[in-house]
Amino acid sequence: MRVSRTTAAEVAKLAGVSQPTVSRVFMPGSKVSADKQRRVREAAMKLGYRPNTLARSLNTGRSRTIGIVLAYLKNPFYTEALEKLSAEFHEHGYHIMTFFASNLTDEVDGVVEDLLAHQVDGIILASVSVSNELTKRLQDHGIPFVLFNRGQEDPSIASVTAANFEGGRLAAKFLLAGGHAKIAHIAGWQKSLNGRERKAGFLAEMVKQGMEPFHIVDCEYSRVKAHKETLDLFRSGKGPDAIFVGNDHMAFAVLEALRLELGLNVPRDVSVIGYDDVAMAAWKTFDLTTLRQPANRMAEATVKMLLSMIENPEIATKCIEIESQLVVRSTTRNPHNWRDPGVF
Amino acid sequence: MRVSRTTAAEVAKLAGVSQPTVSRVFMPGSKVSADKQRRVREAAMKLGYRPNTLARSLNTGRSRTIGIVLAYLKNPFYTEALEKLSAEFHEHGYHIMTFFASNLTDEVDGVVEDLLAHQVDGIILASVSVSNELTKRLQDHGIPFVLFNRGQEDPSIASVTAANFEGGRLAAKFLLAGGHAKIAHIAGWQKSLNGRERKAGFLAEMVKQGMEPFHIVDCEYSRVKAHKETLDLFRSGKGPDAIFVGNDHMAFAVLEALRLELGLNVPRDVSVIGYDDVAMAAWKTFDLTTLRQPANRMAEATVKMLLSMIENPEIATKCIEIESQLVVRSTTRNPHNWRDPGVF
DNA sequence: CTGAAAGCGCTTACAG
DNA sequence: CTGAAAGCGCTTACAG
């Protein structure tokens, strides 16, 4: 339907000024005499006028719109991140155009084309896999973009992630300090840098302390797979005495399998440690020891970086890592000498 | 930054045609000779051209963008709904502009002003409270909008909700059939029609069967309040033998309080029934009996309604109610003669 | 400070 | 089918 919205020309007529003057009143930084200012505002109020942002964007070449591409919201970490990203951008006068794309590369590429046609000023790719062609296309196009929670080896691509390697190392360190000897890793998606780094950090610490991992399996951030692997792990002989799970979302499934299906006591029989510290991790039902990946701090850093790239295209891209803090709760048998998570 | 995007004029030049011809090639329904069609597409491909949707929207008066205002995503029901709404709209060639607004009326009103300035073709208000002034302003403006999961008494406002009254009645009916006599209701927000109707349906059935509700309290869809009220309920003397909780999100908190803090057995000591059937309700940890409020069917209906309103402004607004189906799991002591939820 | 003019990148009658 | 022209609703040099 075509709603007839009132235009600057109509306001100008009613206020007895020229149309550009109306425009200036609504354009921050323009100078208009107090008298006309008042008359225009009055007329605008009376007619319910608001500048058409489409027309404005067409002129200024800036849409003040940011495209956010998300892989999926099943994992509450992304919900938290989306809310935070959204709030931050709105605070800076930007609007958000959201797209949900599965990790199928084709889909992501198509979505990005779409975003470009919409003249977004910048793009956030949250946890989606980006093909090299797409990356190249975005760079050629000159549009600022940053990867959220999904880094790439290529340092010319801006990204914000947790310090995943360090987090994985911390998990191993904590479990080893707790006296665990048979530590399994239900890993995050190994096709994502996130998943690989968490695992690499975990392995690095194990090796450093001369330990062998008990078992490692890629569960691709899937609850279903994590559940199945947990059962398999224990049903095929003796199980591990600790499990480092690639993220909280899977860890909840692991806990269920352990407690409700295998009848094990956590942490007496097995310790479990997750990654993310989503809100649910603090629920009494789970009370999960985990590595905090602070969605809000990551979102802040992401917004800040993208905005500075938009403002200043010459800026060098950066890869920011946000430290992951260990949050100790009750799913782990904790080291005797343990006091302050800060020591880890 | 200003990225120089290639324009239709540049493509026209390269293809040796006029600019309007380029435009026509990308405008479905326009006729262009096969030869020029091909030359234009080739040139466009070479230059990486895509029509600027801002300019297009300015001409056509349709932005093919929908604004979605959400109250919050803490409750996973809204995440599911958002994903589904988004997918449906994309399928119809629309884009989504998301806004998160708390239920503060001022905030919602401001957000809607913003949406109007952005020339959205329609608006979905998901579970936010809408002031009467705002409603009036939207109607005066002539922009189509539908309330998702938050009906209003006023039938001139389009909305899609679950059949909440019927759902509440069903909950009572099922619990009564299970032999419960002391049924409490931890109610959803009584300032929302949703919450009121669920309660009203519950009460209607109780009265019909000559029963008194054991206790009713408004917990405003808050986990914290639901948790506290549950503890209070049992610590202040004898507790109820069943609780109908206003939504799943609160029901999880109720279950935690019951099992982990009060040491009660569900359903032996108390039955619990929720509302929504979010994905988590099916997790083994909770395995919650609940009323299914099908996010996807509701989203479908919402999108369909909004699109038809956009297409045909003369259409009469409707209030659609989607039936809530009882999903029986293990948190309820079930009626002996119970077989098929369909009977309820 | 302010208005007339040009232009942002398209679409769409209007002739032909 | 196709091009020249007008126009969508603004912003922004350009004079004054």
Side-chain angles (χ1 to χ4, degrees):
Chain A
M1 80 178 289
R2 303 179 71 108
V3 186
S4 74
R5 330 203 186 218
T6 78
T7 68
E10 300 175 74
V11 175
K13 199 170 172 189
L14 180 60
V17 300
S18 73
Q19 176 270 313
T21 297
V22 174
S23 178
R24 289 192 182 98
V25 168
F26 289 95
M27 207 58 191
S30 303
K31 274 145 208 347
V32 178
S33 70
D35 173 50
K36 302 207 170 184
Q37 180 96 229
R38 188 182 45 70
R39 272 153 59 202
V40 168
R41 290 207 183 279
E42 244 166 44
M45 181 66 87
K46 195 167 302 174
L47 300 176
Y49 171 76
R50 288 211 115 201
N52 181 329
T53 58
L54 259 37
R56 172 176 288 176
S57 299
L58 196 56
N59 273 288
T60 60
R62 301 241 285 158
S63 64
R64 297 195 77 80
T65 298
I66 302 292
I68 300 189
V69 186
L70 286 155
Y72 71 160
L73 295 176
K74 298 274 173 293
N75 178 347
F77 176 75
Y78 294 110
T79 327
E80 294 173 23
L82 175 59
E83 276 192 288
K84 189 66 184 174
L85 287 169
S86 176
E88 288 280 324
F89 277 123
H90 284 154
E91 216 158 89
H92 290 273
Y94 282 81
H95 290 173
I96 303 298
M97 200 153 247
T98 34
F99 289 84
F100 300 101
S102 72
N103 258 312
L104 304 170
T105 326
D106 283 5
E107 202 172 328
V108 174
D109 289 20
V111 158
V112 169
E113 287 293 331
D114 221 11
L115 283 170
L116 293 179
H118 265 266
Q119 314 302 116
V120 295
D121 290 341
I123 297 180
I124 288 184
L125 297 157
S127 197
V128 291
S129 304
V130 188
S131 69
N132 286 332
E133 307 99 83
L134 179 61
T135 304
K136 183 150 182 334
R137 179 147 165 60
L138 287 170
Q139 288 178 325
D140 288 352
H141 194 286
I143 188 160
F145 69 101
V146 5
L147 304 185
F148 178 86
N149 198 35
R150 182 70 33 107
Q152 301 248 308
E153 265 90 358
D154 181 351
S156 78
I157 299 176
S159 67
V160 174
T161 61
N164 291 303
F165 184 90
E166 208 35 48
R169 163 170 255 152
L170 223 55
K173 209 165 166 184
F174 184 71
L175 292 175
L176 288 168
H180 296 288
K182 298 186 294 181
I183 308 178
H185 180 34
I186 292 199
W189 197 31
Q190 291 301 299
K191 284 190 178 155
S192 75
L193 190 59
N194 266 12
R196 285 199 301 278
E197 296 242 299
R198 289 172 190 181
K199 173 169 137 185
F202 167 75
L203 283 177
E205 185 64 27
M206 293 291 276
V207 167
K208 188 177 159 199
Q209 300 202 21
M211 303 290 286
E212 288 264 302
F214 182 78
H215 185 77
I216 297 187
V217 54
D218 181 359
C219 284
E220 301 173 10
Y221 295 130
S222 148
R223 270 182 62 82
V224 174
K225 293 198 176 159
H227 172 258
K228 185 185 173 306
E229 287 298 334
T230 304
L231 296 184
D232 287 358
L233 207 52
F234 283 85
R235 285 179 177 161
S236 65
K238 317 189 297 283
D241 60 13
I243 309 178
F244 167 38
V245 191
N247 71 359
D248 290 354
H249 186 61
M250 291 193 294
F252 300 138
V254 170
L255 284 176
E256 288 188 336
L258 254 26
R259 291 171 169 159
L260 304 179
E261 294 184 68
L262 296 165
L264 295 170
N265 180 300
V266 177
R268 202 194 52 216
D269 304 324
V270 211
S271 283
V272 175
I273 183 167
Y275 213 116
D276 281 351
D277 195 30
V278 297
M280 244 194 293
W283 288 11
K284 287 206 178 56
T285 303
F286 302 111
D287 202 39
L288 179 70
T289 295
T290 189
L291 275 307
R292 175 173 298 149
Q293 176 170 242
N296 47 4
R297 279 177 55 208
M298 286 174 63
E300 264 167 41
T302 303
V303 171
K304 201 172 151 194
M305 193 189 298
L306 189 63
L307 291 182
S308 78
M309 288 167 79
I310 290 172
E311 241 94 275
N312 176 12
E314 305 310 319
I315 210 165
T317 57
K318 287 183 296 189
C319 300
I320 293 186
E321 290 201 341
I322 308 280
E323 205 189 340
S324 287
Q325 198 193 333
L326 181 67
V327 179
V328 179
R329 297 207 182 86
S330 68
T331 56
T332 39
R333 197 174 74 211
N334 300 332
H336 295 302
N337 60 346
W338 176 80
R339 280 202 196 76
D340 177 0
V343 303
F344 282 96
Chain B
M1 80 178 288
R2 303 179 72 107
V3 185
S4 73
R5 328 198 188 222
T6 77
T7 69
E10 300 175 74
V11 175
K13 199 170 173 188
L14 181 59
V17 301
S18 74
Q19 176 270 313
T21 297
V22 174
S23 178
R24 289 192 182 96
V25 168
F26 289 95
M27 206 59 191
S30 303
K31 272 139 209 350
V32 178
S33 70
D35 173 51
K36 301 207 169 182
Q37 180 96 228
R38 190 183 44 69
R39 273 152 57 200
V40 167
R41 290 207 182 278
E42 243 167 43
M45 180 66 87
K46 194 168 299 173
L47 300 175
Y49 171 76
R50 289 211 115 200
N52 181 329
T53 58
L54 260 35
R56 171 176 287 176
S57 300
L58 197 55
N59 273 289
T60 59
R62 300 241 280 150
S63 63
R64 296 195 77 81
T65 299
I66 303 291
I68 300 189
V69 186
L70 286 155
Y72 70 160
L73 294 177
K74 298 275 173 294
N75 179 347
F77 175 75
Y78 295 110
T79 328
E80 294 173 23
L82 175 59
E83 276 192 288
K84 189 66 184 174
L85 286 169
S86 176
E88 288 281 323
F89 277 123
H90 283 154
E91 216 158 89
H92 290 273
Y94 282 80
H95 289 174
I96 302 298
M97 200 153 248
T98 35
F99 290 85
F100 300 101
S102 72
N103 258 311
L104 304 171
T105 326
D106 284 5
E107 202 172 327
V108 174
D109 288 20
V111 158
V112 168
E113 288 293 331
D114 222 12
L115 283 170
L116 293 179
H118 265 266
Q119 313 302 115
V120 295
D121 291 340
I123 297 179
I124 288 184
L125 296 158
S127 198
V128 292
S129 304
V130 188
S131 69
N132 286 333
E133 307 100 83
L134 179 60
T135 304
K136 181 146 183 341
R137 179 148 166 59
L138 288 171
Q139 287 177 324
D140 288 352
H141 194 285
I143 188 160
F145 69 102
V146 5
L147 304 185
F148 177 86
N149 197 35
R150 182 68 37 107
Q152 302 248 308
E153 266 89 359
D154 181 351
S156 78
I157 299 175
S159 67
V160 174
T161 61
N164 292 304
F165 184 89
E166 208 35 47
R169 162 171 254 150
L170 224 56
K173 209 165 165 184
F174 184 72
L175 292 175
L176 288 168
H180 296 288
K182 297 186 293 182
I183 308 178
H185 180 34
I186 292 199
W189 197 31
Q190 291 301 299
K191 285 191 178 155
S192 75
L193 190 59
N194 266 13
R196 285 199 302 277
E197 297 242 298
R198 288 172 191 182
K199 173 169 135 186
F202 167 74
L203 283 177
E205 185 64 28
M206 293 290 277
V207 167
K208 188 176 159 198
Q209 301 203 22
M211 302 290 287
E212 288 264 302
F214 182 79
H215 185 77
I216 296 187
V217 53
D218 180 359
C219 284
E220 302 172 9
Y221 295 131
S222 146
R223 269 182 62 82
V224 174
K225 293 198 176 156
H227 171 259
K228 184 185 174 306
E229 288 298 334
T230 304
L231 296 184
D232 287 357
L233 206 52
F234 283 85
R235 285 179 177 161
S236 65
K238 316 189 299 284
D241 60 12
I243 309 178
F244 167 38
V245 191
N247 70 0
D248 290 354
H249 187 60
M250 290 193 295
F252 300 137
V254 170
L255 284 175
E256 288 189 335
L258 253 27
R259 290 171 169 159
L260 304 179
E261 294 183 68
L262 295 165
L264 295 170
N265 180 299
V266 178
R268 201 193 53 215
D269 305 323
V270 211
S271 282
V272 175
I273 182 167
Y275 212 117
D276 282 351
D277 195 28
V278 297
M280 244 194 293
W283 288 12
K284 285 205 180 56
T285 303
F286 302 110
D287 202 38
L288 179 69
T289 294
T290 190
L291 275 306
R292 176 174 296 150
Q293 176 170 243
N296 46 4
R297 279 178 53 210
M298 285 174 63
E300 264 167 41
T302 303
V303 171
K304 203 172 149 194
M305 193 188 298
L306 189 63
L307 292 182
S308 79
M309 287 166 79
I310 290 173
E311 241 95 276
N312 177 11
E314 305 310 318
I315 209 164
T317 57
K318 286 185 296 191
C319 300
I320 293 186
E321 291 201 341
I322 307 280
E323 206 190 339
S324 288
Q325 197 193 333
L326 181 67
V327 179
V328 179
R329 298 205 181 87
S330 68
T331 57
T332 39
R333 196 173 75 210
N334 300 332
H336 294 305
N337 60 345
W338 176 80
R339 282 202 193 78
D340 176 1
V343 301
F344 282 96

